[in-house]
Amino acid sequence: MLFISLILCLTLVLPAYAYTSGSWSPSADATYSLEYWELENGTLEITGLTGTVTDTLTIPSTINDKTVTSIKSSAFSYSSLDVPVTFPDTLTKIGDGAFRSSGITGTLTLPSGLVTLGNGAFERCSGLTGDLVIPQRITSIGSYTFDKCGFNGTLTLPDNLVSIAEYAFRNCSFSGTLTLPSTLTTIGDHAFYNNKFSGALTIPDGITTIEYYTFYGCTFDGALTLPNSLTAIGDYAFGDCLFTGIL
């Protein structure tokens, strides 16, 4: 009787859902395969890579008729890929450190349906170049997300962005003007440290603190407009900037 009771107890406690995993290759003669597992909602998460990518790393939209929605934290970190990566429109999440120091190159096009962009997701991907557009559904950018990436074009932020964490875009080489969305309430320290922005900069209403070294080393050469909500400016927040006009 005790044995039967124990079985019944385990049946009630353990989830009935059974996770499945597998691997996928883009073609029969491909030199690499992607590892994945099934999430509880029935969609798939890419978990890693085996083999060597010789051309472009392609994340598929479906595998065995199941939708790919996520890339696991650290899935491709320290992979030495040295190739571009393409994402499907179905992707909604890129986990923490997913491509940290992965060596991916070229331009980075993030899918329009992306909702979650993890801390350090593309940290130290110095081979990335060109422009970067953050998708409209992103409301926060975590710490170190694009730290030390090689972007040398413009940066476009989403209209509903609320927070940019510390070191998010540090030591990139973005050029052109920087437009901060009106919804923004938090910008972390070193967030834009050492970029190549030009023109004017307007800090939106709602920002109360500009942390230390936030815009240090940027090359803005227009006017700086500060909001009435601002109560504190950290050390060297605008150090080595070249703003003109009357503050």
Side-chain angles (χ1 to χ4, degrees), residues 2-247:
L2 179 61
F3 178 73
I4 294 173
S5 298
L6 181 60
I7 292 176
L8 289 173
C9 181
L10 289 173
T11 302
L12 291 173
V13 171
L14 294 177
Y17 183 82
Y19 291 93
T20 59
S21 61
S23 63
W24 171 89
S25 296
S27 64
D29 59 350
T31 58
Y32 74 93
S33 61
L34 295 176
E35 306 298 320
Y36 66 87
W37 60 29
E38 187 175 347
L39 301 174
E40 192 169 0
N41 62 8
T43 66
L44 301 183
E45 181 174 67
I46 303 299
T47 61
L49 170 78
T50 58
T52 302
V53 185
T54 58
D55 189 1
T56 297
L57 174 62
T58 301
I59 308 298
S61 58
T62 59
I63 297 175
N64 298 329
D65 297 324
K66 293 184 181 293
T67 303
V68 175
T69 61
S70 178
I71 297 176
K72 183 179 178 290
S73 296
S74 302
F76 300 100
S77 61
Y78 304 100
S79 294
S80 302
L81 291 170
D82 198 28
V83 295
V85 59
T86 62
F87 299 110
D89 292 337
T90 57
L91 199 68
T92 61
K93 178 183 177 181
I94 298 176
D96 295 345
F99 290 91
R100 179 185 288 118
S101 296
S102 62
I104 56 173
T105 61
T107 57
L108 180 67
T109 302
L110 298 173
S112 60
L114 195 65
V115 176
T116 302
L117 195 51
N119 297 327
F122 294 95
E123 182 183 356
R124 296 195 295 275
C125 289
S126 59
L128 292 174
T129 60
D131 302 335
L132 176 64
V133 177
I134 306 297
Q136 286 294 328
R137 296 181 67 186
I138 297 290
T139 58
S140 64
I141 298 172
S143 58
Y144 296 90
T145 301
F146 297 100
D147 181 41
K148 297 182 180 178
C149 287
F151 299 109
N152 55 4
T154 59
L155 172 63
T156 303
L157 301 174
D159 295 336
N160 296 314
L161 190 65
V162 175
S163 65
I164 300 172
E166 63 274 10
Y167 298 90
F169 299 101
R170 180 184 65 157
N171 282 331
C172 297
S173 295
F174 287 113
S175 60
T177 57
L178 175 65
T179 300
L180 300 175
S182 60
T183 52
L184 198 62
T185 59
T186 303
I187 308 174
D189 63 87
H190 293 80
F192 294 101
Y193 180 97
N194 202 29
N195 275 270
K196 311 280 184 201
F197 297 115
S198 61
L201 176 65
T202 298
I203 307 297
D205 286 325
I207 296 289
T208 59
T209 302
I210 299 174
E211 301 288 351
Y212 56 97
Y213 288 96
T214 298
F215 297 100
Y216 183 92
C218 293
T219 50
F220 297 106
D221 54 3
L224 172 62
T225 303
L226 300 175
N228 293 328
S229 56
L230 193 64
T231 59
I233 299 176
D235 292 342
Y236 303 103
F238 298 103
D240 282 356
C241 292
L242 302 171
F243 291 111
T244 60
I246 300 172
L247 181 60

